[in-house]
Amino acid sequence: MAAKAILGTKLGMTQVFDDENRIVPVTVVEAGPCTITQVKTVDTDGYVAVQMAFGSRKHVNKPSAGHLAKADVDSARVLAELRLDDDADLPELGSTIACDTFVRGETIDVTGTSKGKGYAGVMKRHNFKGMGDGHGVKRKNRHPGSVGMASTPGRTFKGMRMAGRMGGERVTLQNLEVVDVDTNNGLILVKGAVPGATGSIVLIRSAVKGQRGELPTSDNGEGGEA
């Protein structure tokens, strides 16, 4: 399986020291273990993909329970599907993916649901400058300004940047670096911030734009390339 992915829970942010004794801000993700609950092939589904399950829940409906039982899984908090280019080295049904699937120094993409900000104005939502603060400006400082047209066309175009609900969207940050992997506690330390609130589910995948450089060699002498 060329592409790699794992689901995890965002635990929050902290900081570590790198090899040059510099402080590096990191996001701690409790990654896995994830169980392969379905393997799709061209013959059966028309494309190649694997489905993984992460976490657990108290109540499971019968269709989901029957689907998960094929991989000997009782319940799942969330399911995710990773589409592949070919069917080479497909994992077995019921196999487990742990955090050690990624290595230190690897470049990854992290997907999550951004924090909800509620109803926000144009200055917060779209970084508008706002109006002046001089004489004659009364309670208009944070207003959007003109949004409509004259009698032709006499309407506001779709997509106009205006106030509205902000956040709570699917966001992917690309080309983040794995600072360290704690296999004993199942943790992955990601350089910088990742989308989502503490306790939310995030998806870590191999970077679609490729690795930045040579990955370090693992202790067993095998390379850690994606």
Side-chain angles (χ1 to χ4, degrees):
M1 191 166 83
K4 299 184 295 184
I6 192 171
L7 291 163
T9 304
K10 178 180 176 180
L11 300 183
M13 293 194 68
T14 184
Q15 59 187 23
V16 296
F17 290 92
D18 62 6
D19 298 334
E20 298 180 3
N21 206 31
R22 295 177 300 186
I23 292 178
V24 179
V26 296
T27 301
V28 183
V29 178
E30 184 179 3
C34 298
T35 305
I36 300 298
T37 54
Q38 188 176 9
V39 178
K40 297 184 178 182
T41 61
V42 176
D43 297 335
T44 58
D45 300 277
Y47 64 100
V48 181
V50 293
Q51 182 190 86
M52 65 182 73
F54 172 72
S56 62
R57 60 173 65 236
K58 186 175 181 180
H59 301 288
V60 183
N61 57 33
K62 288 186 177 181
S64 298
H67 173 71
L68 297 174
K70 298 177 182 178
D72 198 20
V73 177
D74 296 331
S75 65
R77 180 180 176 184
V78 62
L79 296 174
E81 183 175 290
L82 178 64
R83 195 156 184 166
L84 306 175
D85 296 331
D86 52 56
D87 55 358
D89 300 328
L90 284 176
E92 295 182 359
L93 184 68
S95 60
T96 302
I97 301 176
C99 66
D100 57 3
T101 187
F102 292 95
V103 298
R104 181 180 181 184
E106 191 168 354
T107 306
I108 59 174
D109 297 338
V110 181
T111 302
T113 302
S114 62
K115 293 181 180 180
K117 310 286 184 178
Y119 193 91
V122 292
M123 293 184 69
K124 181 176 181 179
R125 191 183 187 202
H126 300 295
N127 299 316
F128 276 26
K129 181 180 179 180
M131 296 187 180
D133 229 354
H135 294 288
V137 180
K138 293 184 179 180
R139 297 182 296 276
K140 291 288 185 179
N141 307 67
R142 303 181 68 89
H143 280 221
S146 176
V147 297
M149 303 287 180
S151 58
T152 304
R155 63 187 177 90
T156 301
F157 288 135
K158 290 183 178 180
M160 180 70 68
R161 293 181 297 171
M162 302 173 68
R165 186 173 179 178
M166 180 180 177
E169 299 175 337
R170 179 183 173 95
V171 178
T172 299
L173 292 184
Q174 295 182 325
N175 297 335
L176 301 179
E177 179 183 351
V178 176
V179 176
D180 201 1
V181 178
D182 186 352
T183 56
N184 295 328
N185 299 308
L187 304 177
I188 296 179
L189 304 185
V190 183
K191 185 176 182 180
V194 303
T198 299
S200 61
I201 298 295
V202 295
L203 173 64
I204 300 177
R205 294 177 293 175
S206 301
V208 296
K209 296 180 180 178
Q211 300 301 316
R212 292 175 179 171
E214 293 292 334
L215 291 178
T217 304
S218 59
D219 297 336
N220 58 7
E222 298 178 356
E225 296 184 356

